[in-house]
Amino acid sequence: MSKFSMDSFSLKGKVALVTGASYGIGFAIATAYAAAGASIVFNDIKQELVDKGLEAYKEAGIQAHGYVCDVTDEAAVQAMVAQIETDVGGVDILVNNAGIIKRIPMLEMTAEQFRQVVDVDLNAPFIVSKAVIPGMIKKGHGKIINICSMMSELGRETVSAYAAAKGGLKMLTRNICSEYGEANIQCNGIGPGYIATPQTAPLRERQADGSRHPFDQFIVSKTPAGRWGETEDLMGPAVFLASDASDFVNGHILYVDGGILAYIGKQP
């Protein structure tokens, strides 16, 4: 008789920390975790962003806990994680979602700009993971989910720093799995495809003649699903990777991209 039940997908009683989750993909993942029963904790770099996030969670009927913290500052992150443990409980689920992108051609990008992207997109997930892993070892379980990207696999013009960081994040994911799998910690990644968010809205606006924006056309033609992703498309995969249902899934990157990475594209 199988021991499987839908309770395997429940996050009841779990504490989930989603970095940079005042809005966008992080907010969507956190709301899914709340619906699955988790207590939600998030951070952002400025008080005004945390306040906006708290307001958005409240509107969604979620009692979230927000902290101001720069995820590239190791001492600040250690202090935040200790504070979360006091206020809410030890972190069971970490989603390294905070990230930045600078779209600058490589020859025009300064080394300082390159370092800044790598600092937020790669060093910070190392710093935050390092802060929560001891508590997870003590509890005997833990889930770390890194928000990777299709740029963990592909290159594109103007995103040298972002692609380098996200490629590194894929390998950090595999390495956390390698080092801490024995402690019953699963570390996986989610690689979103092109997601329809307020930031990408201008790229999806119809042109004056009613035709699609050229970039919109390009993305839709490259996606077997024939559409942009919605933040809702990330919710199920994120809940799965945070739940007991994925206890033997480790070091894996789950690309939620409508099939882009599987597809060579239509012949012109």
Side-chain angles (χ1 to χ4, degrees):
M1 182 70 179
S2 165
K3 288 189 297 182
F4 179 78
S5 85
M6 291 306 285
D7 289 346
S8 300
F9 292 94
S10 169
L11 303 182
K12 213 169 178 188
K14 301 285 171 74
V15 174
L17 166 59
V18 187
T19 66
S22 299
Y23 59 91
I25 286 172
F27 179 81
I29 288 173
T31 56
Y33 286 172
S39 299
I40 303 305
V41 177
F42 73 99
N43 80 293
D44 222 312
I45 198 160
K46 290 188 188 131
Q47 187 66 54
E48 65 199 83
L49 289 170
V50 171
D51 291 343
K52 267 187 192 168
L54 287 169
E55 197 51 48
Y57 285 109
K58 198 174 164 188
E59 269 179 47
I62 296 164
Q63 192 198 341
H65 304 262
Y67 297 82
V68 178
C69 182
D70 175 353
V71 284
T72 67
D73 179 339
E74 186 164 17
V77 168
Q78 291 280 355
M80 176 181 72
V81 168
Q83 193 61 50
I84 291 166
E85 194 154 348
T86 302
D87 297 348
V88 193
V91 174
D92 299 287
I93 300 156
L94 165 65
V95 181
N96 283 309
N97 165 74
I100 59 168
I101 188 167
K102 290 183 185 291
R103 292 184 178 86
I104 304 169
M106 186 171 158
L107 294 184
E108 292 164 29
M109 186 173 228
T110 64
E112 189 43 50
Q113 288 169 323
F114 189 94
R115 282 192 197 101
Q116 193 194 351
V117 174
V118 172
D119 206 19
V120 177
D121 293 356
L122 180 57
N123 291 342
F126 163 78
I127 288 167
V128 187
S129 298
K130 188 182 159 193
V132 301
I133 285 170
M136 290 177 171
I137 291 171
K138 213 185 293 178
K139 281 187 170 212
H141 68 85
K143 303 278 182 176
I144 298 174
I145 296 150
N146 292 323
I147 302 301
C148 295
S149 163
M150 286 185 304
M151 302 300 123
S152 300
E153 301 290 343
L154 300 169
R156 236 188 121 239
E157 302 78 16
T158 78
V159 294
S160 57
Y162 185 78
K166 292 296 188 179
L169 187 57
K170 172 180 75 174
M171 292 313 298
L172 177 64
T173 302
R174 290 177 177 170
N175 214 79
I176 292 171
C177 153
S178 304
E179 283 200 57
Y180 298 105
E182 226 178 319
N184 192 28
I185 293 170
Q186 290 83 48
C187 182
N188 294 290
I190 290 179
Y194 284 88
I195 305 293
T197 61
Q199 291 95 311
T200 59
L203 299 172
R204 286 174 283 110
E205 273 172 14
R206 291 278 170 178
Q207 305 298 280
D209 63 0
S211 66
R212 285 179 182 273
H213 185 290
F215 191 77
D216 186 16
Q217 246 169 349
F218 166 69
I219 291 306
V220 170
S221 72
K222 285 280 181 198
T223 309
R227 65 173 178 88
W228 287 66
E230 302 290 337
T231 52
E232 286 78 11
D233 290 316
L234 300 166
M235 290 177 166
V239 168
F240 167 65
L241 290 178
S243 74
D244 295 348
S246 62
D247 278 356
F248 205 56
V249 178
N250 211 353
H252 178 76
I253 314 296
L254 176 51
Y255 290 100
V256 186
D257 66 354
I260 291 180
L261 285 171
Y263 186 47
I264 197 170
K266 287 189 178 77
Q267 185 183 332

